């Protein structure tokens, strides 16, 4: 690996010919322009670190929005448009130009960011607004400055989210039934409050000049506060919140009886979490392990992508003995190749190499992605089995907490690593194989973009859909298999079989209770995010007189608000994911203890949740 070459390739953009923008003969063209920026969203970028669209180095980013059809009919526009083409299209028709990808199909007004051209404003935005738009780097610096001014308050808001999550879990232990219904009605009230606030803003902007501009006319704005001065933005908020409110109310109406059963199950889960409080902080350990896995994958992927070298080959319009052979551009004029073929040139062909290592770089990237999936799935599986073992030890203990291990979480983690590493690795391997097949299908789909075979496209689409469903099913089966491994200590295959047949015997209860519990926990996450988000909005926006003295002066107050919203959701998700694992573990234990659960009515089932296994049952299980 050559460090300077790596750094240059990562930092400086290269066009489709492998030339570095702003260097050598392209010294006056330091910016990179993409024909179709949307192609950069392809998952293949993870493997190739290159957008699958033609790219050219340009002197400046386009400052107007044009299409190829409109520009080619105007001499002045066409002259401007050709500066963004790969080659002079001459008098070719539009179809040939697009087919040969000589010119982009359209130009979008853009701004430079990290030496790349990114879309900035809409076609007619400059007619309706006089605000000056900053360079991408200036926007990034202002965002960074906002973080330096508000990081302290962001941490306080995230700490509030942690406290709220802990309060909810403690209250669920003692007031599960009341808290669930309070949670439901508070979520409804928070969404209704959001609708009322948006409606007031929508009405107040009625007579404000310039507020009737549509979002399409305004286009993309780096300063998101501009959208808050548009009536259509608030109307969109009202519609989204109203749809969310209706969906929640309809679900509550149809699931009101099943919610009672889920409440009883959550009461038992609350008691289990209360005995194993350290489980609430276990997601931090999982997060640290996943961070290490992601960092290792990222570093390896960058090294693989930047380890290739530019390959130059001999090109000649006439017959040449050395055509398509590798050459050295620095010594080519004095070489025998040039002497034998005077009209030949030594031009850049591709990035790679002639060694077997360089030829199989794509395979190595796939292997790196496969290892990433395997390791990430292993870390997630370890967390699931550890939590399942801790909660299972609670359920099967006759006298709690006397018959429980002194440190149930540490004991479960030790058992998982000592006895069940093979089961974890095997289950993770199966899931990783399915995931890498999905990546391969995406890669094949990317390579066959220009294919005209309709049947091949249809078959590929069906395969992608089938493997997506298979991945979801394997994740569900693995999760329950790990629970059975934690309970009985059997191998992965036997545990997966037992879990599958156990769930199939109780399929209706499983689906209803699992989804209702997930819905209740989702409402809890939504409530915590909503409460912290509302507080962050009124604090950072300065709309409340009580906070004006403490609110930091920010360029974009939406930066800390979005950070707080995302962070609050991750925190709430971490706490409630432990709860969800506890519910699943206790439910499987309960199904094992009561094989006749299918004959129970919802009312008796809800009362039976609190039944504890007897000593004779425990001895038989042992």
């Amino acid at each position: 690996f050559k460090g300077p070459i790596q750094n240059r390739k990562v930092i400086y953009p290269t066009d489709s010919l492998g030339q570095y923008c702003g260097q050598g003969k392209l010294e006056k063209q330091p910016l990179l322009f993409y024909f179709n920026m949307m192609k950069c969203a392809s998952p293949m970028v993870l493997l190739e670190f290159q957008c699958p669209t033609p790219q050219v180095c340009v002197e400046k980013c386009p400052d107007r929005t044009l299409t190829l059809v409109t520009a080619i009919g105007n001499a002045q526009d066409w002259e401007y448009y050709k500066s963004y083409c790969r080659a002079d299209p001459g008098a070719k028709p539009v179809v040939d130009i697009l087919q040969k990808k000589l010119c982009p199909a359209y130009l979008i007004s853009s701004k430079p960011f990290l030496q790349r051209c990114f879309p900035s404003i809409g076609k007619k935005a400059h007619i309706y607004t006089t605000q000056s738009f900053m360079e991408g780097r200036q926007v990034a610096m202002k965002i960074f400055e906002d973080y330096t001014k508000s990081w302290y308050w962001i941490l306080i808001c995230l700490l509030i989210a942690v406290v709220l999550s802990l309060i909810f879990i403690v209250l669920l232990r003692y007031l599960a039934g009341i808290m669930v219904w309070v949670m439901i009605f508070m979520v409804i009230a928070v969404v209704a409050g959001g609708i009322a606030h948006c409606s007031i803003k929508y009405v107040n902007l009625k007579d404000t000049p310039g507020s009737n501009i549509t979002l399409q006319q305004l286009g993309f704005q780096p300063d998101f506060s501009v959208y808050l001065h548009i009536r259509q933005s608030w109307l969109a908020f009202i519609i989204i919140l109203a749809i969310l409110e209706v969906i929640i109310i309809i679900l509550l109406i149809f699931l009101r009886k099943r919610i009672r059963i889920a409440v009883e199950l959550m009461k038992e889960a609350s008691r289990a979490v209360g005995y194993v409080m350290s489980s609430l902080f276990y997601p931090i350990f999982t997060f640290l392990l996943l961070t290490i896995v992601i960092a290792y994958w990222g570093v390896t992927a960058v090294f693989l992508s930047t380890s290739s070298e530019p390959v130059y080959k001999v090109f000649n319009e006439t017959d040449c003995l050395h055509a398509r052979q590798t050459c050295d551009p620095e010594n080519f004029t004095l070489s025998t190749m040039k002497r034998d073929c005077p009209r030949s040139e030594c031009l850049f062909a591709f990035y790679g190499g002639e060694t077997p290592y360089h030829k199989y770089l794509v395979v190595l990237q796939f292997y790196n992605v496969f290892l990433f999936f395997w390791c990430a799935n292993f870390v997630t599986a370890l967390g699931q089995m550890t939590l399942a073992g801790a909660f299972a030890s609670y359920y099967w203990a006759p006298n709690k907490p006397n018959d429980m291990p002194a440190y149930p979480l540490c004991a479960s983690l030790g058992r998982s690593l000592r006895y069940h590493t093979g089961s974890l690795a095997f289950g993770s391997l199966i899931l990783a194989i399915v995931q890498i097949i999905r990546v391969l299908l995406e890669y094949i789909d990317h390579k066959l973009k220009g294919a005209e075979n309709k049947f091949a496209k249809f078959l590929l689409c069906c395969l992608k859909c089938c493997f997506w469903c298979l991945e979801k099913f394997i994740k569900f089966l693995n999760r329950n298999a790990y629970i059975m491994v934690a309970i009985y200590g059997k191998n992965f295959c036997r545990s997966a079989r037992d879990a599958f047949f156990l769930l199939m015997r109780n399929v209706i209860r499983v689906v209803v209770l699992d989804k209702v519990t997930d819905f209740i926990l989702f409402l809890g996450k939504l409530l915590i995010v909503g409460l912290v988000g509302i507080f962050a909005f009124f604090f950072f926006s300065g709309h409340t007189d009580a906070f004006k003295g403490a609110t930091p002066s920010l360029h974009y107050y939406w930066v800390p608000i979005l950070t707080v919203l995302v962070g609050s959701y991750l925190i709430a998700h971490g706490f409630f994911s432990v709860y969800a694992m506890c519910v699943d573990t206790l439910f499987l234990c309960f199904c094992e203890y009561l094989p006749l659960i299918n004959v129970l009515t919802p009312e008796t089932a809800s009362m039976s949740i609190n039944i504890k296994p007897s000593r004779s049952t425990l001895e038989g299980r042992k």
Side-chain angles (χ1 to χ4, degrees):
F1 300 124
K2 297 183 179 180
I5 293 179
Q6 290 175 352
N7 296 335
R8 187 173 62 172
K9 189 179 177 186
V10 171
I11 297 174
Y12 295 103
T14 55
D15 62 8
S16 298
L17 299 177
Q19 305 173 95
Y20 291 97
C21 298
Q23 298 187 10
K25 63 180 181 179
L26 300 178
E27 183 179 0
K28 296 183 179 180
Q29 298 168 302
L31 305 175
L32 185 66
F33 173 75
Y34 299 90
F35 275 27
N36 187 355
M37 177 67 74
M38 298 302 296
K39 293 291 185 68
C40 297
S42 170
M44 292 304 102
V45 177
L46 295 176
L47 295 173
E48 301 173 358
F49 279 80
Q50 188 80 346
C51 290
T53 183
Q55 304 157 46
V56 294
C57 297
V58 295
E59 183 177 353
K60 62 178 183 178
C61 296
D63 56 2
R64 64 177 93 170
T65 301
L66 290 172
T67 63
L68 178 62
V69 177
T70 57
I72 205 168
N74 186 298
Q76 186 176 0
D77 290 341
W78 181 232
E79 193 63 30
Y80 171 80
Y81 201 96
K82 287 193 297 184
S83 61
Y84 297 95
C85 296
R86 300 173 67 181
D88 190 355
K92 294 183 176 66
V94 174
V95 177
D96 289 347
I97 294 175
L98 294 177
Q99 188 175 10
K100 296 179 180 179
K101 297 182 179 180
L102 298 177
C103 298
Y106 53 85
L107 297 180
I108 298 179
S109 182
S110 307
K111 293 290 183 179
F113 179 67
L114 298 178
Q115 293 184 257
R116 277 87 170 170
C117 294
F118 289 92
S120 58
I121 61 174
K123 180 179 179 180
K124 300 181 180 179
H126 61 282
I127 301 177
Y128 302 100
T129 179
T130 58
Q131 180 182 0
S132 60
F133 293 94
M134 306 174 187
E135 296 289 338
R137 292 178 181 175
Q138 292 175 334
V139 174
M141 289 301 297
K142 288 191 174 184
I143 291 176
F144 179 76
E145 185 179 350
D146 287 342
Y147 275 121
T148 59
K149 292 181 180 179
S150 60
W151 69 269
Y152 178 77
W153 299 106
I154 292 175
L155 291 180
I156 291 178
C157 291
L158 296 180
L159 182 61
I160 293 174
V162 173
V163 173
L164 286 177
S165 301
L166 290 173
I167 291 175
F168 268 92
I169 289 175
V170 173
L171 292 178
L172 280 172
R173 182 180 182 185
Y174 301 101
L175 303 169
I178 297 175
M179 283 300 302
V180 167
W181 289 108
V182 168
M183 190 187 308
I184 290 173
F185 288 116
M186 285 188 69
V187 168
I188 295 175
V190 168
V191 177
I195 295 174
H197 177 75
C198 295
S199 301
I200 294 173
K201 288 288 187 180
Y202 179 76
V203 173
N204 292 340
L205 289 173
K206 181 178 181 181
D207 299 324
T208 304
S211 62
N212 291 321
I213 301 174
T214 65
L215 294 175
Q216 184 178 5
Q217 292 173 329
L218 183 63
F220 175 77
Q221 302 290 343
D223 187 359
F224 283 85
S225 62
V226 175
Y227 296 105
L228 300 181
H229 299 283
I230 306 301
R231 297 189 73 203
Q232 196 178 69
S233 299
W234 294 104
L235 179 62
F237 294 153
I238 294 172
I239 295 173
I240 294 172
L241 292 176
I243 293 174
L244 180 63
E245 186 87 329
V246 171
I247 292 175
I248 292 175
I249 293 174
I250 291 176
L251 289 175
L252 290 175
I253 293 174
F254 284 98
L255 300 177
R256 63 187 184 278
K257 293 183 179 180
R258 300 300 180 185
I259 289 177
R260 294 174 55 192
I261 306 175
V263 167
E264 296 298 327
L265 191 59
M266 292 188 68
K267 285 182 180 178
E268 191 67 21
S270 301
R271 285 188 282 269
V273 173
Y275 281 109
V276 194
M277 285 295 292
S278 58
S279 61
L280 294 175
F281 301 97
Y282 186 82
I284 298 176
F285 178 69
T286 302
F287 173 77
L288 293 176
L289 292 180
L290 285 176
T291 302
I292 295 173
V293 171
I294 294 173
Y296 179 79
W297 165 80
V299 171
T300 306
V302 170
F303 267 91
L304 286 175
S305 298
T306 58
S307 63
S308 56
E309 298 179 352
V311 176
Y312 299 87
K313 291 185 177 292
V314 177
F315 290 89
N316 194 33
E317 296 179 359
T318 59
D319 293 335
C320 178
L321 179 64
H322 307 288
R324 306 302 299 173
Q325 291 184 8
T326 305
C327 59
D328 185 359
E330 296 182 359
N331 304 322
F332 184 72
T333 55
L334 303 177
S335 65
T336 56
M337 296 180 179
K338 183 67 173 178
R339 187 168 58 252
D340 296 340
C341 306
R343 300 182 59 183
S344 63
E345 293 182 279
C346 184
L347 300 178
F348 172 82
F350 53 85
Y351 272 104
E354 297 300 319
T355 65
Y357 165 77
H358 290 100
K359 292 180 180 179
Y360 293 101
L361 269 178
V362 174
V363 177
L364 293 175
Q365 284 285 20
F366 271 109
Y367 180 69
N368 185 40
V369 173
F370 170 73
L371 289 182
F372 166 73
F373 286 144
W374 194 358
C375 294
N377 292 331
F378 181 88
V379 171
T380 304
L382 177 63
Q384 292 174 346
M385 185 177 290
T386 300
L387 293 173
F391 295 129
S393 65
Y394 158 84
Y395 184 86
W396 297 106
N399 297 318
K400 303 172 180 58
N402 296 331
D403 293 335
M404 294 176 59
Y407 302 99
L409 191 68
C410 294
S412 179
L413 177 61
R415 288 195 303 271
S416 301
L417 292 175
R418 183 177 180 182
Y419 300 109
H420 307 309
T421 305
S423 297
L424 294 171
F426 186 68
S428 305
L429 175 64
I430 295 174
L431 184 57
I433 291 174
V434 175
Q435 291 172 334
I436 198 63
I437 291 175
R438 290 190 62 199
V439 174
L440 284 170
L441 290 175
E442 292 289 344
Y443 183 77
I444 295 172
D445 187 30
H446 164 66
K447 292 297 183 182
L448 297 179
K449 281 295 183 182
E452 300 295 335
N453 193 327
K454 301 294 183 182
F455 177 76
K457 292 182 179 179
F458 172 76
L459 180 61
L460 194 60
C461 182
C462 292
L463 288 174
K464 289 165 65 176
C465 180
C466 291
F467 276 96
W468 179 86
C469 296
L470 180 61
E471 180 184 354
K472 296 298 180 184
F473 173 75
I474 291 178
K475 283 184 177 180
F476 173 76
L477 187 62
N478 281 7
R479 180 184 177 93
N480 291 280
Y482 297 142
I483 295 175
M484 297 300 288
V485 171
I487 295 174
Y488 290 107
K490 299 177 182 178
N491 60 50
F492 177 83
C493 294
R494 289 190 61 185
S495 299
R497 184 197 62 184
D498 295 342
F500 177 77
F501 287 114
L502 182 62
L503 294 174
M504 288 300 102
R505 290 195 297 268
N506 304 279
V507 60
I508 298 177
R509 299 260 186 255
V510 170
V511 172
V512 173
L513 288 178
D514 185 61
K515 295 307 175 185
V516 170
T517 305
D518 289 344
F519 177 64
I520 293 173
L521 295 179
F522 171 73
L523 292 183
K525 299 175 192 176
L526 198 63
L527 179 59
I528 292 174
V529 173
L531 292 175
V532 178
I534 290 174
F535 172 78
F537 174 77
F538 284 108
F539 179 81
F540 290 110
S541 64
H543 290 175
T544 305
D545 296 335
F547 299 133
K548 281 190 175 179
T551 303
S553 178
L554 303 173
H555 298 287
Y556 312 116
Y557 66 82
W558 52 265
V559 171
I561 292 176
L562 288 179
T563 306
V564 168
L565 288 176
V566 174
S568 300
Y569 179 81
L570 294 177
I571 290 172
H573 177 73
F575 280 106
F576 285 110
S577 64
V578 174
Y579 236 86
M581 195 66 200
C582 181
V583 169
D584 291 344
T585 303
L586 295 183
F587 186 72
L588 277 184
C589 292
F590 183 61
C591 291
E592 283 285 287
Y593 176 58
L594 292 176
L596 299 179
I597 190 173
N598 284 322
V599 302
L600 298 176
T601 63
E603 289 76 12
T604 55
S606 64
M607 292 185 293
S608 300
I609 291 290
N610 292 320
I611 297 177
K612 303 297 189 299
S614 62
R615 284 190 176 275
S616 59
T617 305
L618 291 174
E619 292 299 327
R621 173 181 168 272
K622 292 179 181 179

